[in-house]
Amino acid sequence: MNNPVPVMEKRDFLKWFLESYQLKRRECAWLLNFLMSDDILMERVHFVEQAEHCPKALMISANDVEHVPFAFHKNQHVTMDAEKSFHDIRLNRNEDIYIQLNFKEKQTLPQYMAVLEENPYLPVNEAEENLQGLLAEMILDESIRMQSMKMLEEEIDLALVNGDETTFQDLAKKYSALKALED
């Protein structure tokens, strides 16, 4: 993870979350409290969206949303049994745990946004990636064109100072061609 969220910040968020929201399943609160009690596990906890793409994920829902109350994903296996997830987490303390919390208006709450991390396992959107590449190429081309125009301007000035009309004419044509690409 590029910018890991400090353990204290994650713990404070979970305390706030548990005080502010009623969970659909009581065992979920118990599981979150277990995570909060262990600094080593909390270092491995990451709050993300679309956790189903992660190798090990907990999905926990509050009463105020229409989502599955609880799900534990590990590789391609899914269980709704909180006890199984507890044992897996307890026995595999060195594995990262990605948690998706489902509750109303979470994207507008600064407490949540402060701990939310980018999900490194999201599938790549090829269309968006192609568009980004095309935009980067266009910016690079424009930068090269502008640099070439600046160099031509200096060469044109030098040709004028030296009274070299032939060089001036050649450079002016090149400059006009580059300038035409601007539109």
Side-chain angles (χ1 to χ4, degrees):
M1 306 261 74
N2 298 357
N3 270 334
V5 177
V7 169
M8 277 306 292
E9 210 170 310
K10 293 183 221 180
R11 187 178 288 116
D12 289 345
F13 166 72
L14 280 177
K15 285 178 186 174
W16 170 84
F17 177 74
L18 289 170
E19 289 170 3
S20 303
Y21 291 90
Q22 182 72 39
L23 301 180
K24 289 186 176 189
R25 295 210 13 221
R26 189 175 42 228
E27 310 93 285
C28 295
W30 171 70
L31 189 56
L32 292 175
N33 276 306
F34 168 70
L35 289 171
M36 281 192 294
S37 70
D38 189 324
D39 282 353
I40 294 168
L41 286 174
M42 284 302 287
E43 283 181 26
R44 298 248 174 229
V45 165
H46 307 282
F47 297 99
V48 297
E49 291 297 313
Q50 299 179 32
E52 66 273 9
H53 297 288
C54 300
K56 184 173 181 174
L58 293 172
M59 297 163 140
I60 297 172
S61 298
N63 280 332
D64 62 355
V65 292
E66 293 296 320
H67 287 276
V68 174
F70 173 80
F72 176 65
H73 292 243
K74 181 147 187 193
N75 301 320
Q76 277 71 48
H77 302 294
V78 179
T79 182
M80 306 300 179
D81 186 345
E83 197 169 321
K84 283 184 182 176
S85 66
F86 166 73
H87 289 300
D88 184 274
I89 291 167
R90 189 175 55 84
L91 294 172
N92 300 294
R93 299 164 55 87
N94 60 332
E95 295 177 348
D96 285 334
I97 306 162
Y98 296 89
I99 300 177
Q100 176 180 322
L101 296 173
N102 301 312
F103 57 101
K104 223 177 203 139
E105 300 175 357
K106 62 184 175 180
Q107 301 295 338
T108 64
L109 297 170
Q111 297 91 328
Y112 177 66
M113 297 311 288
V115 297
L116 184 64
E117 297 180 45
E118 188 173 323
N119 187 337
Y121 296 99
L122 287 179
V124 175
N125 181 339
E126 288 186 37
E128 186 175 325
E129 198 172 80
N130 289 342
L131 180 61
Q132 299 251 342
L134 183 60
L135 288 172
E137 194 175 315
M138 288 171 63
I139 290 169
L140 182 61
D141 288 347
E142 180 62 10
S143 178
I144 291 170
R145 188 183 72 76
M146 295 298 284
Q147 184 61 33
S148 296
M149 286 179 64
K150 185 176 180 189
M151 288 174 56
L152 281 172
E153 288 170 358
E154 291 171 5
E155 290 179 36
I156 288 171
D157 288 347
L158 188 61
L160 286 171
V161 167
N162 293 336
D164 186 348
E165 191 175 331
T166 308
T167 303
F168 170 80
Q169 292 296 334
D170 287 343
L171 294 173
K173 285 179 187 173
K174 289 178 184 176
Y175 184 85
S176 293
L178 280 177
K179 186 79 172 152
L181 295 176
E182 193 173 288
D183 302 323

